[in-house]
């Protein structure tokens, strides 16, 4: 087992989603949902429509939509796909390619009521660079806005927070952390975007 990821619905904290890598699971991962705050869990089996390789990521947006991400590709890992559920994992929509790359991915949603509300952001190591993609249409499609040359190892991450410089803009900052150097002496580089992931500055 490994690569465990869990998310909570901001509209209903009793709704939880968790997934982890397993050679015995569907698409290389084992996903579960709970509707009672984790007292009991049920196994879900979404259909991806592609060959999947694991490394799950998940996020709820402010509307309570659940987004589940896994690595995919033809023969080798080439990208990540995302599927969406509007009923806490009971049913799922068709998968879409969310980000290109070959190793560890991450996904985050803007849960605020700010100007970029419900934007989705995803990152992935892509053969020595870092891919950054976003969705501005509730996960229907994703597009690249930038790449990061300081990403060479697995472990790139994205997160969302407020922009408190010169005001207080909910969801106004998107943060990306890249990972380079060596496995036992990593260099972490921080970037921030104040325009919904259109562009980033080094912090």
């Amino acid at each position: 087992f490994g690569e465990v990821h869990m998310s909570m619905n901001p509209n209903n904290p009793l709704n939880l989603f968790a997934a982890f890598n397993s050679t015995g699971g569907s698409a290389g991962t084992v996903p579960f949902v709970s509707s009672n705050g984790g007292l009991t869990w049920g196994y879900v089996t979404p259909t991806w429509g592609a060959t999947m390789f694991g490394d799950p990521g998940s996020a709820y947006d402010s509307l309570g939509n659940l987004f589940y991400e896994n690595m995919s590709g033809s023969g080798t890992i080439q990208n990540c796909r995302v599927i969406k559920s509007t009923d806490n994992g009971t049913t799922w929509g068709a998968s879409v390619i969310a980000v290109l790359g070959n190793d560890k991915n991450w996904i985050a949603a803007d849960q605020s009521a700010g100007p970029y509300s419900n934007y989705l952001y995803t990152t992935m190591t892509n053969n020595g660079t870092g891919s950054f993609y976003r969705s501005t249409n509730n996960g229907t499609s994703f597009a690249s806005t930038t790449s990061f040359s300081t990403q060479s190892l697995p472990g790139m991450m994205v997160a969302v927070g407020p922009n408190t410089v010169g005001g207080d803009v909910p969801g106004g900052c998107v943060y990306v952390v890249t990972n380079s150097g060596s496995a036992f002496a990593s260099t972490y580089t921080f970037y921030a975007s104040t325009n919904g992931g259109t562009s980033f500055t080094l912090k």
Side-chain angles (χ1 to χ4, degrees):
F1 300 110
E3 303 293 346
V4 179
H5 201 279
M6 189 168 80
S7 298
M8 181 182 72
N9 186 346
N11 287 344
N12 183 353
L14 296 179
N15 289 346
L16 304 173
F17 177 86
F20 54 89
N21 283 349
S22 173
T23 56
S26 172
T29 63
V30 177
F32 287 86
V33 293
S34 175
S35 60
N36 56 16
L39 293 176
T40 59
W41 294 83
Y43 179 54
V44 295
T45 55
T47 300
W48 293 92
T51 301
M52 308 305 293
F53 289 91
D55 276 8
S58 62
Y60 285 92
D61 65 13
S62 72
L63 303 174
N65 297 314
L66 170 60
F67 299 89
Y68 179 26
E69 181 178 73
N70 267 297
M71 297 190 301
S72 68
S74 178
T76 61
I77 299 168
Q78 298 166 323
N79 52 55
C80 280
R81 288 179 177 267
V82 166
I83 51 177
K84 175 182 175 180
S85 175
T86 60
D87 52 17
N88 200 43
T90 301
T91 60
W92 298 87
S95 71
V96 297
I97 294 176
V99 59
L100 300 183
N102 66 299
D103 210 340
K104 190 69 189 85
N105 50 290
W106 203 262
I107 187 170
D110 184 344
Q111 297 180 345
S112 77
Y116 312 109
S117 180
N118 301 313
Y119 278 24
L120 297 169
Y121 306 104
T122 182
T123 57
M124 191 177 192
T125 305
N126 189 10
N127 295 303
T129 62
S131 291
F132 175 87
Y133 283 58
R134 71 176 182 181
S135 173
T136 62
N137 55 13
N138 298 106
T140 300
S141 62
F142 289 77
S144 173
T145 63
T146 189
S147 63
F148 296 89
S149 62
T150 53
Q151 176 66 27
S152 58
L153 298 174
M156 190 176 181
M157 183 173 283
V158 61
V160 181
N163 181 7
T164 59
V165 178
D168 190 3
V169 181
C173 274
V174 180
Y175 299 97
V176 166
V177 183
T178 63
N179 185 11
S180 60
S182 67
F184 298 102
S186 293
T187 299
Y188 299 107
T189 307
F190 289 74
Y191 299 86
S193 171
T194 57
N195 52 18
T198 299
S199 60
F200 286 81
T201 58
L202 179 67
K203 303 307 287 184

